[in-house]
Amino acid sequence: MDLTVVTYAVYLLISIALTLWVGHTLARSGRVFLVDVMHGDRKLADAVNHLLTVGFYLVNFGFVALHLELGGGVDTVRESFEALSVKIGTVLLVLGALHLANVFVLGRIRRRSLAEHQPVPPVPPQGWTSPAVGV
């Protein structure tokens, strides 16, 4: 079997395994955060969590598929390892960037939600004037 095909197969196996592991971990751990953001509405939090997980998988699997081509043949085991390190490193960076983007967006949603539920400070009466002193 051609070493380039073996490199493709190893790349796909590692990339798919990493994507599944990261997606599962984020979905499991992110559920608690989403329940808090959704003010205890577990059904809504689970629905949003599922949508985020599916979107995460679609984007990552699409990237893995588009990033498959090596651009040239692999003739030695060393070239195979070098190509795999570049490919898998790029996939890991994309996974990390997507995770940080999700955390940023959800953090903003949470801050906004907390701000909306803060008590409103009392407002001074409008059109009220103080009585004249010494009258």
Side-chain angles (χ1 to χ4, degrees):
M1 183 180 271
D2 185 15
L3 195 53
T4 303
V5 175
V6 172
T7 304
Y8 286 153
V10 172
Y11 163 72
L12 287 173
L13 287 173
I14 293 173
S15 297
I16 289 170
L18 281 170
T19 299
L20 290 172
W21 175 71
V22 170
H24 176 72
T25 302
L26 293 177
R28 184 175 29 88
S29 300
R31 184 181 182 278
V32 175
F33 182 75
L34 285 171
V35 168
D36 181 49
V37 170
M38 303 300 172
H39 306 293
D41 188 348
R42 293 185 187 284
K43 191 173 181 178
L44 179 60
D46 288 340
V48 170
N49 196 21
H50 183 71
L51 290 172
L52 287 171
T53 303
V54 168
F56 177 82
Y57 286 142
L58 289 173
V59 169
N60 282 293
F61 289 144
F63 177 77
V64 166
L66 287 173
H67 194 60
L68 178 65
E69 184 180 4
L70 290 173
V74 176
D75 298 323
T76 66
V77 174
R78 177 182 171 188
E79 289 176 352
S80 177
F81 274 101
E82 290 171 351
L84 283 171
S85 70
V86 170
K87 296 287 188 187
I88 292 171
T90 305
V91 169
L92 289 173
L93 287 173
V94 169
L95 286 170
L98 286 174
H99 169 65
L100 290 176
N102 276 339
V103 168
F104 177 76
V105 169
L106 292 173
R108 287 186 55 116
I109 291 170
R110 184 170 187 263
R111 276 194 305 270
R112 182 173 159 211
S113 176
L114 288 174
E116 288 174 356
H117 288 87
Q118 290 293 324
V120 178
V123 178
Q126 300 295 320
W128 181 81
T129 58
S130 61
V133 180
V135 177

